[in-house]
């Protein structure tokens, strides 16, 4: 534990040169949390070669979050980076996408200093975070004025071809302005705000589908090695949509199909359990200033850096 009277914390805006160091801090923090909570399985505590390989798969989302961040702050002690926090502002709604501190330095107000800088109330109609189950972090978020709304669990299984019947037409999404506009209209209905810049990233990095009924959009979903988000205007369409998604993942040759599901989405939860999906023990919590959105019709982005 660092005596911060000897090693004072300095805060500065983050930049592109920080990307890999911040990735290493995040992985170390997750490994520490997994160990403290007694969870088995992947912890993010890999050797240098494995971390470098993992970085290549996660690098695009780090770049996107940095390039579209509203607030991005790094904490340093004796010239070494020991923590960071970042938030995005989408349609007036602020989300704290990351707040991670290097294990061994989580004391003396470092986390509080980061959240004060990266998660201001100014300019936001609402604020929220998808938080880990770390009670120390949740205490920090509660003091920042956001409160638990519902848990989010990872459901996963080896994908199979899954027949389904539906009157939905499934259309491959194109990366163009008209598609982004349609996604924004669906988001406005389901989560309560637009995030067009995120859909531009999804469309460039994931395979997306528009679900259409009688010539009108009924929802969307992004499917692949990392799936989500999914947003539907009618929750009863989730069984057909998720059957199509699982079949698509299997046909693409992926060995794993996972979904980050708000537990208020009863239709999706019931369907996934009927398909023998397993719930991972690593739970997240959506915390917000005020309730918002219709998350009974939504599945979160995976990994859940942002909703």
């Amino acid at each position: 534990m660092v005596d911060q009277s000897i090693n004072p914390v300095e805060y500065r805006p983050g930049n592109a040169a920080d990307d890999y160091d911040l990735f290493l801090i995040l992985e170390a923090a997750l490994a520490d949390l997994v160990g403290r909570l007694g969870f088995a399985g992947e912890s993010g505590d890999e050797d240098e070669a494995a971390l470098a390989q993992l970085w290549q798969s996660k690098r695009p989302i780090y770049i996107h979050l940095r390039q579209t961040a509203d607030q991005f702050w790094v904490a340093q002690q004796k010239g070494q980076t020991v923590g960071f926090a970042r938030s995005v502002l989408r349609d007036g709604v602020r989300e704290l996408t990351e707040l991670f501190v290097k294990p061994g330095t989580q004391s003396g107000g470092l986390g509080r200093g980061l959240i004060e800088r990266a998660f201001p109330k100014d300019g936001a109609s609402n604020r929220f975070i998808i938080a880990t189950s770390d009670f120390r972090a949740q205490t920090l978020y509660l003091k920042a004025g956001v409160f638990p709304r519902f848990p989010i669990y990872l459901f996963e299984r080896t994908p199979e071809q899954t027949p389904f019947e539906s009157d939905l037409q499934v259309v491959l999404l194109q990366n163009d302005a008209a598609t982004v506009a349609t996604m924004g209209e669906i988001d406005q209905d389901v989560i309560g705000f637009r995030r067009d810049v995120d859909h531009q990233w999804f469309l460039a990095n994931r395979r997306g589908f528009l679900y259409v009924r009688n010539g009108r959009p009924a929802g969307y979903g992004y499917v692949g090695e990392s799936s989500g988000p999914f947003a539907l205007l009618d929750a009863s369409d989730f069984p057909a949509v998720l059957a199509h998604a699982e079949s698509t993942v299997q046909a693409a040759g992926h060995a794993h199909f996972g979904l980050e599901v708000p537990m208020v989405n009863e239709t999706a939860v019931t369907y996934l359990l009927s398909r023998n999906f397993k719930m991972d023990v690593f739970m997240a919590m959506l915390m917000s200033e005020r309730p918002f959105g219709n998350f009974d019709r939504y599945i979160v982005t995976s990994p859940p850096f942002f909703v």
Side-chain angles (χ1 to χ4, degrees):
M1 195 170 293
V2 177
D3 182 351
Q4 293 186 6
S5 65
I6 300 174
N7 298 315
V9 180
E10 296 180 351
Y11 299 94
R12 63 165 176 82
N15 58 61
D18 295 311
D19 284 356
Y20 190 64
D21 287 342
L22 304 190
F23 161 74
L24 294 177
I25 288 174
L26 183 151
E27 291 298 313
L30 289 180
D32 177 68
L33 176 61
V34 167
R36 285 190 286 110
L37 297 180
F39 293 160
E42 295 184 11
S43 67
D45 192 16
E46 295 95 352
D47 59 31
E48 288 187 13
L51 281 168
Q53 184 176 5
L54 183 62
W55 166 242
Q56 292 308 311
S57 67
K58 292 190 174 181
R59 184 170 177 267
I61 199 167
Y62 273 78
I63 294 174
H64 173 66
L65 290 171
R66 168 172 49 79
Q67 291 178 338
T68 64
D70 181 69
Q71 297 292 329
F72 177 19
W73 291 88
V74 168
Q76 293 186 310
Q77 288 179 320
K78 298 180 68 174
Q80 298 295 313
T81 301
V82 293
F84 73 104
R86 186 156 45 196
S87 67
V88 298
L89 191 64
R90 307 291 194 245
D91 201 16
V93 177
R94 184 180 302 281
E95 178 177 8
L96 186 70
T97 59
E98 302 128 287
L99 192 160
F100 291 96
V101 174
K102 188 175 181 179
T105 59
Q106 293 135 317
S107 64
L110 195 158
R112 183 174 67 251
L114 284 169
I115 201 170
E116 287 174 352
R117 289 165 171 82
F119 201 47
K121 293 184 178 181
D122 294 348
S125 60
N126 198 0
R127 298 179 304 148
F128 73 97
I129 178 175
I130 297 176
T132 68
S133 55
D134 187 342
F135 286 110
R136 296 185 306 189
Q138 289 194 14
T139 299
L140 186 64
Y141 303 145
L142 288 166
K143 290 179 178 178
V146 294
F147 296 87
R149 304 302 172 186
F150 51 79
I152 299 169
Y153 278 91
L154 171 63
F155 287 73
E156 54 189 348
R157 65 161 295 154
T158 301
E160 298 176 347
Q161 286 296 307
T162 309
F164 64 94
E165 294 183 3
S166 175
D167 61 343
L168 289 175
Q169 179 186 4
V170 181
V171 180
L172 187 65
L173 290 175
Q174 303 300 312
N175 191 356
D176 55 35
T179 298
V180 171
T182 298
M183 301 300 98
E185 292 171 3
I186 296 170
D187 277 344
Q188 190 70 57
D189 186 280
V190 178
I191 61 174
F193 62 94
R194 300 177 67 105
R195 31 62 179 291
D196 293 4
V197 68
D198 294 323
H199 281 290
Q200 292 168 358
W201 184 85
F202 289 135
L203 291 165
N205 289 273
R206 298 187 177 182
R207 191 179 185 189
F209 296 94
L210 180 68
Y211 311 111
V212 179
R213 174 174 286 113
N214 300 324
R216 299 179 63 84
Y220 67 77
Y222 293 92
V223 179
E225 192 168 6
S226 293
S227 293
F230 292 80
L232 302 181
L233 302 185
D234 186 340
S236 67
D237 286 326
F238 266 110
V241 164
L242 296 181
H244 169 262
E246 182 180 352
S247 299
T248 301
V249 170
Q250 192 277 335
H254 299 304
H256 170 265
F257 180 42
L259 297 164
E260 307 277 355
V261 185
M263 296 305 285
V264 294
N265 188 339
E266 297 179 9
T267 306
V269 170
T270 300
Y271 170 78
L272 293 170
L273 291 176
S274 76
R275 289 279 303 127
N276 296 317
F277 277 70
K278 303 301 181 185
M279 292 174 59
D280 192 88
V281 294
F282 200 82
M283 179 269 291
M285 179 70 68
L286 189 138
M287 304 176 71
S288 66
E289 277 188 316
R290 290 177 293 281
F292 70 101
N294 298 288
F295 286 89
D296 59 325
R297 297 191 268 125
Y298 193 76
I299 289 177
V300 174
T301 306
S302 183
F305 281 103
F306 47 81
V307 71

